[in-house]
Amino acid sequence: MKKPSSKIREEITKLQEQLRQAETREAERIGRIALKGGLGEVEIDDTDLQAAFEALAGRFGPRRADSVVASQSLSHAAKGSQTPPFGVEPGSDETAEA
């Protein structure tokens, strides 16, 4: 027997709440680690910080094939960030070109 739409909506609502809670736990965990690592004291643009986190995520796990993340990364690269990519020291000869 098929589920009525009201039951499906209830399940969706419950899953959305579970997702919100999981994202909150993950954000709090990452935030605590970032603060312990000294990122709370660093003055950096959110876009540059996100790019650095994306580079870090790429080092330790598979990248998401999320078109939003990809388009943000491309947009960031196209703007020509003032901040060197994660892991590249300012003034070094290493470039971020791929």
Side-chain angles (χ1 to χ4, degrees), residues 11-84:
E11 290 178 17
I12 290 171
T13 301
K14 288 177 185 178
L15 289 172
Q16 287 173 330
E17 178 61 21
Q18 288 176 8
L19 176 61
R20 187 190 64 74
Q21 290 174 356
E23 288 175 337
T24 299
R25 283 191 308 272
E26 292 166 359
E28 289 172 349
R29 175 181 170 259
I30 291 168
R32 282 190 302 272
I33 293 168
L35 290 174
K36 286 179 184 179
L39 282 178
E41 305 297 322
V42 175
E43 291 185 29
I44 184 171
D45 180 66
D46 286 354
T47 306
D48 294 334
L49 186 57
Q50 180 177 344
F53 275 124
E54 289 170 2
L56 184 63
R59 286 181 56 197
F60 293 101
R63 290 200 48 97
R64 292 186 341 185
D66 187 317
S67 61
V68 173
V69 171
S71 67
Q72 288 173 346
S73 295
L74 291 174
S75 172
H76 177 69
K79 290 179 187 176
S81 171
Q82 301 279 335
T83 305

